[in-house]
Amino acid sequence: MPSMIGKGVPRVDAVAKVTGTAQYVYDMQFPGMLWARVLRSTIAFGEIVSIDASEALAMPGVRAFLTGKEIGDDLHGTSLCDEPILARDIVRFYGEGIGVIAADTEEIANEALKKVKVVYREMKPVFDVEEAFSENPPAILHPDLRTYKTSRPPKFIENRPNVYHSHRIQSGDLEQGYTDSDVIVEHEWRTAKIQHVQMEPHCAIAEVEANGDVTVHASINTLYACKNIFCRAFNLPKSKVRVRTYAVGGGFGGKQNITTMGVTYALAKATGRPVKYNLTREEVFIGACTRHPTVIRVKDGVKKNGTLMARDIEVLLDGGGYSEFGFLVVMNCCYAAIGTYKIPNFRIRSYGIYTNAPICGAYRGFGNVQVQWATECQNDLCAEAIHMDPMEFRLKNVLIDGDRNPGREIVFNNEAKQCMEWVEKGMETLKEKLERKPLPPNKVRGYGVSGGNKYSMAPTSSMAYVKMYEDGVVEGRIGGDEPGQGLFTVCAQMLAEIFELPMSEVRIIGGDTQICPYDEGSISSRATYNNGNAIRLAAEDCIRQIREKAAIKMNVPAEKLKVANKRVYNTDNVLESIDVRDLYDLNIMATGLYVKEGGEFCGKATWFQGTCKPNENYNSDRLCSFYTQGAQGIAVLIDKETGKVDIEGIVSSYDTGNPINPPLVEVQIEGGAMMAIGSALMEAMIMDEKGQTINANLTNYIIPTFKDMPLESHHMTNIAKSYHPNGPFGAKGLGEGTMSCTAPAIANAIYDAIGVRFYDLPITAEQIMAELNKKAAEGDPAKAKETVEVREPATIGV
Amino acid sequence: MVGLSIVKPTCLEEALALLNDDTFVIAGGTDVAIQVHTKPNVTKLVDVNGILKKGIEETKDSVIIYALTTHTDVMESPIIAKWAPALKQACSQVAATQIRNMGTIGGNVSNASPAGDSIPALLVVDTKVTYVDAQGEKTIALKDFFTGPGKTVMNKRGLVTKFEFAKADNLKTAFTKVGKRNAMAISVVNCAVGLYLDGDKIEKANIVLGSIAPTTLHIKKAEEYLFGRKFAEVDLNAFWSLVFNSINPIDDIRSTAAYRKQVAANVARSTLITAYEGGK
């Protein structure tokens, strides 16, 4: 059989998705189901004095109203338990849920919400992350922070009461590094608050049986993490709770909190009926989670020969009202700075800081994209300071296998250099294509490059079951999530490869904690690597059982047997084989087959990826499962009359190990670039002075469409040759890394085009016009010929 | 939105009788579907499909566009391509295919958004609009139709039935849109230019900008400056300054006043050049 690995087979869910039969929780309804709507705060910070829902409860069709206190949950979090399902006494951001209503229809629930009267005692909020970080902040969001329960001890900072966690990785001697450098490059960088804008908004339906068993159907991207946090919040035994997912319309890290599960469960318990809660698009912006806005300060020291001698980074992460997955972002964003370059003297410090804003949590890249926005722009500035080509500077400092990175990890399976060299060549091709035609008037072109990486978390584990049916079809069960990235397809390919079956004879079952084993979720770009390994090991266990049974039947030693295409072969004599059906016995009714001894052919396995224990500077031989590496070059075309930036061309190369399904890898790379174009040029949640998000809708929060992507002929994507020694069939992961290069490459290209360096994201047309005007005023005609001259004309007709 | 009902009247009189402050007229529904969420007072939608006409007609001297004609219909019409290419360009840059297939010209104009894309393009060909209300049928210049953002002389009590403009062999037009992305974008600034030419002499100019004032605006001083002038004698910087000094846009969620003012003047100048050199 031809190998199934490295083959662009169609997605296993392609037909269902294309024909519209794929099932999404957002569309599901159950008999007798009630609809929930959440009452949201109209202040950013303050005490809830009273909530009066009597008028709402008197409305026909209204079945229940619960306040935050009545939900009955313990504070929850990923490590630090600081978050209630709904606010109880204190509201910490504008739009925070403070009560929830259940009614016969969504419309009645909406009407009833308007009748609830809330009295607040307002307090002075803090929105600015640097003010919140200070030793004397205008507001302290969680005065009881140091008494909260934790499952991993937070590193608080004395005298900085809004810091919920901090982290540091350090190696070498920074001062010596700067002393040994010829040039110091030091800047401050910022990123905006952005949201994932998953196509399917967050939603859940909860059912509570008479015996107390709970089933929650939810649109989430971490099946077991959500279940575990949910169980802990409500003190529910794990065996009593079943969480199910179906087709999930996008995750990108943003579907990991349990708010929808929590409110629907509390209402289902109170009413005895299934309860559904669908977030509106507007609510997704404030009631789900967002990406951390950041302030990042970087100080680099470089030698004239291009050696990066020292890098010191400070990252302030604006976490919003609660830590959520942001607790882990604080620690894990630091890997961004150690993954790609050799830096002998190094430090990164990061701080998670509460502000009175919607919660920040996991967002494709987990903080690493923000850090690399700063460092990859810095790399260009360092190169410029010593008059070196930006890619040459990167190649001079890039890590190769056998090096130790700034976290003192031993580098292996790192193809960053290969990616950069491919992009360097690809950019030559792109330039040649673009420059065939003369530039349109008023337009100016620029080219920029960037490197980028994304670690994948460890220690971590996944489990799998693999079962063969009596007709020879093989089924794998995993706890990993399929929010659209293609996990089930690549796992099915691995089963097809191992059992030598066509794709039609294998399938993957997931999304149900009652029948699928534990996994840590489709997060950290970990799904293919970890679920794939679990599937591989469970498949081997299943095959072992089949061979042992066949050995008896065929009287051939098990180690000489091979399972392929629904048969068992003697490898010494391939003409000697039996059908897998022959391993079963016919039942007495002659209606079915069973395995007489030892039960079904069902393999199970745990894949565990360990690390080496870090020292006090967080140095270790191995901190992560793997690093996805990549490089990207971008061509921009800027209209000097409107400031508009068009992405004319993208050249990408990513190292994802051995790709199981190359077309899925390519579209993931292109999708990541597209999402990053939004973060670079368009997206920012805007809050007014009261803390209300004023563009929480898709009319005024702008994300890119396909029309903002370059022509296909100007979009070149390469998958680096790579093989991870621990990965399933050499594969590693990809999803998040694909966002790491794009924003800095765009900013570097804009600089190349108009000579203006931008430090904050997003870079808007308004800012570009303002900077062009400044340049014109400074009299730099070479860079800004076409800017304005404001004067009255000498003669006016009529 | 509770209790929102859709009424489908069978004749114009019945439809007109239903109109009041708490009703929306719905044709393609592409604006209305969003507005029902933000305007809770609206309880009734009056569906005018089946009452009003759809299609583009050419008479000896004029072109008629009926209210229910979609943006796609306009985009694909050879009559429009010949007599009002700026309108073709404008309609082809509205939102995206699905919305252009549903949204109507009558709706785009009646919605009276200062950012509406078809409006400047209709204005530069000196379009007349015909509408009916309780007093009967009226035909007025489209430039006199708008009274404010979302407001028209119909005052929510009338229905636009058609648009008509004269076929002019000597008219050249062009349209430019500045949005925050390349599709599904509300214009930050839009601009249409129409030039009636006698050889290289400008007999009459229409310079119209959108999204820079409460209604789409003719830039009168710029039009007057061009009047009777040979194109070669137009001082483009002077033209630019006239536009720049004629407008006073505001900051809003989509952009800033300073940006709009400068970019409006820039695109007015570039659209003027395009209309003269490349327009038809």
Side-chain angles (χ1 to χ4, degrees), chain A residues 107 111 641-642 644 646 694-695 699-700 703 707-708 765-766 769 773 788-789 791-793 797-798, chain B residues 2 178 180-183 186 224-225 229 237-238 240-241 244-245 253-255 259 262-263 266 269-270:
Chain A
E107 287 76 17
E111 285 305 301
E641 295 229 304
T642 64
K644 190 162 179 298
D646 269 322
I694 55 172
N695 63 337
T699 306
N700 293 321
I703 59 170
K707 292 269 187 189
D708 300 298
E766 286 79 359
M769 285 310 277
N773 289 344
V788 301
E789 193 186 337
R791 63 176 173 86
E792 284 294 322
V798 190
Chain B
V2 170
V178 180
K180 295 257 140 196
R181 58 185 166 197
N182 294 333
I186 297 173
E224 286 162 5
Y225 171 70
R229 215 172 270 268
N237 287 333
W240 185 96
S241 299
F244 187 85
N245 293 319
I253 197 160
R254 271 183 283 285
S255 193
Y259 176 82
Q262 181 181 0
V263 169
N266 287 352
R269 180 175 56 190
S270 61

Side-chain angles (χ1 to χ4, degrees), chain A residues 3 21 31 94 105 167 172 181 211 231 239 253 448 453 480 482 493 628 630 635 640 650 671 694 709 727:
Chain A
S3 176
T21 57
Y94 197 111
T105 68
H167 192 63
S181 299
N211 68 359
C231 286
S239 57
N453 74 75
E482 172 60 275
Q493 282 178 265
T628 305
K640 285 187 285 180
I650 305 179
I694 55 172
M709 296 295 277

